[in-house]
Amino acid sequence: MIDTAGGLVWRRRGGTLQVQLVHRPKYDDWSWPKGRLDDGEASQTAAIREVAEETGKPIVLGPPLPGLQYLTPEGRVKRVRYWAARRARKGKDSYALAARAPVAPVNRREVDRTEWLTPDEATDRLTRSADRGPLDALVALHEQGLLDTRAVVIARHGLAYPRTVWHGSERDRPLTPVGHAHAAALVPVLAAYGVEQAVSSRWERCATTIDPYVRAAGLRPSFSEYLTEAQHERSPSRVAATMHDLLAEPGESAVLCTHRPVMPTVLDAIARCAPREVADALPARDPFLEPGEILVAHVASIDDEPRVVAVEHVTPPLH
């Protein structure tokens, strides 16, 4: 299996939707910017790296789009994952950009031209007819007013020491070495989604989980007692209110880190802002998320109300 990832980068000019195509001289074809995953690389990280390497500009991932799978001339299965993506904005995406690894400049032997085209023009220009599938999905989101989104990422803290072997207070129970690896693995994935805000339970294992991203991005995190296991047991409604506020707040993408027992309330708040087909894709069984896993909710604003357009269940790869 050859795993690749890329993006359909979009913008509006004069009220008209445009998408960006690249030309590869080696194949003399027009396609979406994409490329292979490096060893141990998340698909999301590969997507933003490959698009930046082929277009020369950083992007932020939006909702996932239909992928492709086909046989290469050598008979190998190639799988491509795509996201809708927008150009990163100067000043407004600075934290996420600071947390990313450097990207190589455009290699003109691999990509010698890029063009912004309307969807109809892109349909005609694309070399492979199968590449029109992701475009059709992106246009559908645009026509429904659901293409402008922000990410609200729910993170379960990394693996912590079991209660049976920890003799300190529950709020101070720390991450294991694997848990610290979970925290480090979150950094490039959160950066790919343009996370500019971090909210966490005050307890040690959650605060430590978001700390690598907070440090890499230069963020000032916000800590809440409401997101701890103890406070959630006393007042789930406060967790629900915190979650709704995060979904409804316009502008910045955010990560919220909490505990397994808090997940049902968090997921219920997301489901209340989602159509049935999206709500049905949410994790439904305990433990909902494994340690170090995240759920990415892509949120649009419709009549000043949050609408969850899509959700992704992501397990960042450990190195």
Side-chain angles (χ1 to χ4, degrees):
M1 177 77 72
I2 302 172
D3 282 314
T4 64
L8 275 65
V9 188
W10 64 273
R11 70 181 186 184
R12 293 190 184 93
R13 284 295 181 271
T16 299
L17 179 67
Q18 295 180 332
V19 290
Q20 190 174 32
L21 267 63
V22 299
H23 180 262
R24 300 183 300 172
K26 179 178 178 180
Y27 304 100
D28 190 24
D29 68 354
W30 287 93
S31 62
W32 308 117
K34 64 181 181 301
R36 291 191 185 192
L37 276 62
D38 289 338
D39 290 342
E41 187 177 37
S43 295
Q44 292 81 358
T45 312
I48 64 165
R49 176 182 55 75
E50 286 290 341
V51 172
E53 287 178 354
E54 295 194 352
T55 68
K57 299 291 184 180
I59 60 163
V60 171
L61 298 183
L65 299 172
L68 302 174
Q69 187 165 300
Y70 53 89
L71 286 176
T72 67
E74 299 78 25
R76 300 182 66 187
V77 176
K78 187 172 186 178
R79 181 171 56 190
V80 189
R81 294 187 65 187
Y82 285 117
W83 284 263
R86 61 168 176 82
R87 284 272 184 87
R89 302 161 298 187
K90 290 184 179 179
K92 294 188 177 180
D93 295 305
S94 57
Y95 292 122
L97 293 178
R100 296 182 182 182
V103 173
V106 177
N107 183 340
R108 295 301 176 187
R109 290 176 295 181
E110 294 184 5
V111 172
D112 60 352
R113 282 186 287 165
T114 65
E115 283 198 28
W116 289 99
L117 303 170
T118 67
D120 286 343
E121 292 168 338
T123 296
D124 292 337
R125 186 73 64 87
L126 285 164
T127 301
R128 296 175 184 81
S129 59
D131 280 344
R132 296 168 190 162
L135 177 60
D136 290 342
L138 184 140
V139 170
L141 287 172
H142 175 257
E143 291 175 345
Q144 297 170 65
L146 302 177
L147 191 51
D148 279 311
T149 61
R150 51 189 284 269
V152 175
V153 182
I154 309 305
R156 182 180 171 188
H157 62 73
L159 186 66
Y161 283 98
R163 289 178 173 87
T164 53
V165 302
W166 175 248
H167 303 298
S169 69
E170 180 62 14
R171 68 181 298 126
D172 294 329
R173 184 156 59 90
L175 298 182
T176 65
V178 172
H180 283 282
H182 285 145
L186 284 175
V187 174
V189 179
L190 295 179
Y193 287 110
V195 168
E196 296 278 294
Q197 181 182 359
V199 182
S200 173
S201 159
R202 284 192 180 277
W203 287 7
E204 173 70 19
R205 50 195 180 273
C206 284
T208 305
T209 296
I210 65 164
D211 187 63
Y213 186 74
V214 164
R215 290 178 179 272
L219 278 173
R220 178 174 294 179
S222 173
F223 296 103
S224 173
E225 286 289 349
Y226 298 152
L227 298 173
T228 65
E229 291 184 36
Q231 287 297 325
H232 174 259
E233 189 173 338
R234 295 187 185 99
S235 180
S237 62
R238 288 184 172 177
V239 173
T242 298
M243 191 63 213
H244 184 271
D245 288 347
L246 197 60
L247 291 167
E249 182 181 336
E252 297 177 339
S253 293
V255 59
L256 180 149
C257 186
T258 190
H259 310 262
R260 179 188 57 79
V262 185
M263 287 295 168
T265 302
V266 169
L267 296 176
D268 181 67
I270 294 173
R272 290 175 183 273
C273 298
R276 173 61 62 86
E277 64 272 14
V278 175
D280 286 347
L282 291 168
R285 295 183 179 180
D286 193 9
F288 309 103
L289 296 175
E290 296 294 337
E293 288 187 335
I294 61 174
L295 182 89
V296 183
H298 297 275
V299 187
S301 180
I302 304 296
D303 298 326
D304 295 325
E305 291 294 325
R307 173 83 64 83
V308 179
V309 173
V311 293
E312 298 179 78
H313 190 162
V314 182
T315 304
L318 298 182
H319 295 284

